[in-house]
Amino acid sequence: MRITAADVPALERGVALLGSGGGGDTVTAAVLLRRMTESGREPVVHPIADLPPDTLVVPVGIVGATAAFAEKLPSGDEFVSAIAAIERWTGRRAQALMTIEIGGLNGLLPLVIAQELGLPCVDADLSGRGLPRLDQLSVAATGRGVAPVAMAEPGGRVVVLAAAPASVVESGIRAFLAGSGGWAAIALAPIPAGELAEHTVPGTTSEALALGARVLAAGESPELAALETALDGQVLARGRVLEVSRHVGPGHHGRPGFGRGSATLTDHRDGALLRLEMENEYLLALRDGLPVASTPDVLSVLDRRTGVPLQCDAIRAGVEVDVVCLAASPFWTDPRRLPLLEPRAYGIDCDPVVAR
């Protein structure tokens, strides 16, 4: 699959939806991808099955504060440095790239990096949606592990975490980011293509592109039935945001956690109150106090007028919105992996409510 300039708006909309309110603003990455494709440099995305089994695929992405990323743009050297560091550490050369996360800006930026480096991209990722922590990636869920991982921050520092459990890698990266520019490019150890089907969520770039194309084709302010058909999902509520509250979430080892909050709206259809619990992503929807949808399904909030997904840090009182739910990848509804993304994984004492 070749990504053309005409594909960029649909792909941007698809990855923004799959970000579930997180993953970072897609605008900057979309501009970079659009300019590149308009100049004739079109990245090629390969299905897993099309790659020779011994092809070494390096997962890459951005971690940290996406707001800091928008303020302190990459030079381009960060990804090159991170990939070079993981190649030196493992002694294996990258022959293809894949994104660590299809949701948000990481759904777009690795396509730009792969084209710049002359490498193919793989139609798969390690998340299937937007996720806040590295210890929630698919390679952690399957037991393969996250380490070794190389990080390169905008100031030029490069760090390799050679060996540690996924939770330790996550806390180590957060400590590194706190003392650097707030974000870093990362590269994980190469994964042979023959092992990707077991350890990744396949087909996510093509699915994001198809999702975005359907939603854009439905137009602005579509009727409920048309929106649900385009999303292949459910509209949980259509109404005006009444209140948004924010606070610091539960921390670990004496350090504060991610920002936590909730948004409440009245469903214009029947007057029911819908409350969304959120962290970096939207996590749980309660209708008149009863849970009706939750992670690992993808909850997204769309501006009613434009259809653009609203990130958790951008939702405000007074905005007319559609709250929608997209079914999670079967990878995450597997009972062996569900505990990694269910509400209790975020400190919310609630059983998961998963679309069937």
Side-chain angles (χ1 to χ4, degrees):
M1 176 177 66
R2 188 175 295 274
I3 304 297
T4 68
D7 293 325
V8 174
L11 184 57
E12 180 187 8
R13 181 60 57 89
V15 300
L17 281 162
L18 293 174
S20 195
D25 191 350
T26 58
V27 172
T28 301
V31 168
L32 295 173
L33 182 58
R34 185 178 298 110
R35 288 181 178 176
M36 187 181 72
T37 53
E38 287 174 346
S39 69
R41 295 178 296 155
E42 299 172 342
V44 178
V45 180
H46 296 271
I48 292 173
D50 286 359
L51 297 173
D54 58 350
T55 303
L56 296 177
V57 183
V58 172
V60 297
I62 291 288
V63 293
T66 53
F69 174 83
E71 295 172 359
K72 190 172 186 179
L73 295 175
S75 66
D77 294 335
E78 296 89 354
F79 276 100
V80 174
S81 297
I83 294 169
I86 205 68
E87 287 178 332
R88 288 194 302 271
W89 188 264
T90 62
R92 297 186 289 176
R93 299 282 295 180
Q95 297 170 311
L97 300 183
M98 64 181 293
T99 180
I100 61 170
E101 177 186 46
I102 193 62
L105 69 88
N106 275 328
L108 303 174
L109 199 55
L111 296 171
V112 177
I113 302 305
Q115 180 64 23
E116 292 289 345
L117 296 178
L119 294 173
C121 237
V122 179
D123 190 8
D125 80 314
L126 305 184
S127 303
R129 45 160 297 150
L131 292 176
R133 308 195 313 258
L134 292 179
D135 57 350
Q136 292 176 308
L137 296 179
S138 62
V139 286
T142 60
R144 182 182 180 88
V146 177
V149 56
M151 297 175 290
E153 54 94 30
R157 290 186 296 173
V158 179
V159 172
V160 175
L161 294 178
S167 59
V168 176
V169 171
E170 165 65 19
S171 61
I173 285 179
R174 298 299 163 186
F176 174 76
L177 293 173
S180 63
W183 68 267
I186 68 167
L188 276 60
I191 303 173
E195 300 178 17
L196 291 178
E198 178 184 357
H199 296 292
T200 70
V201 184
T204 47
T205 300
S206 55
E207 289 176 6
L209 178 57
L211 171 63
R214 294 195 307 268
V215 171
L216 290 180
E220 294 184 353
S221 302
E223 296 299 322
L224 283 171
L227 179 58
E228 290 188 329
T229 298
L231 293 168
D232 191 19
Q234 178 185 5
V235 176
L236 300 176
R238 167 170 282 185
R240 176 173 294 177
V241 178
L242 301 175
E243 181 184 44
V244 177
S245 64
R246 304 183 190 277
H247 58 274
V248 177
H252 300 279
H253 307 298
R255 295 204 305 269
F258 293 119
R260 183 68 64 85
S262 63
T264 305
L265 63 144
T266 302
D267 192 337
H268 291 340
R269 298 173 296 181
D270 58 8
L273 280 178
L274 188 90
R275 191 175 89 231
L276 283 171
E277 295 296 324
M278 57 188 177
E279 196 176 76
N280 291 15
E281 289 80 26
Y282 299 110
L283 303 174
L284 175 67
L286 301 105
R287 187 177 181 85
D288 287 340
L290 298 177
V292 292
S294 77
T295 174
D297 283 348
V298 176
L299 304 179
S300 195
V301 178
L302 313 183
D303 185 290
R304 178 75 184 91
R305 180 177 59 85
T306 65
V308 173
L310 297 175
Q311 293 196 303
C312 293
D313 60 1
I315 190 170
R316 297 290 186 270
V319 180
E320 292 279 347
V321 300
D322 288 323
V323 180
V324 302
C325 177
L326 310 179
S329 164
F331 181 96
W332 292 117
T333 55
D334 185 315
R336 297 171 297 174
R337 299 160 184 160
L338 182 58
L340 206 59
L341 295 194
E342 68 180 5
R344 287 190 178 88
Y346 299 86
I348 300 174
D349 189 14
C350 177
D351 293 330
V353 182
V354 179
R356 300 298 180 186

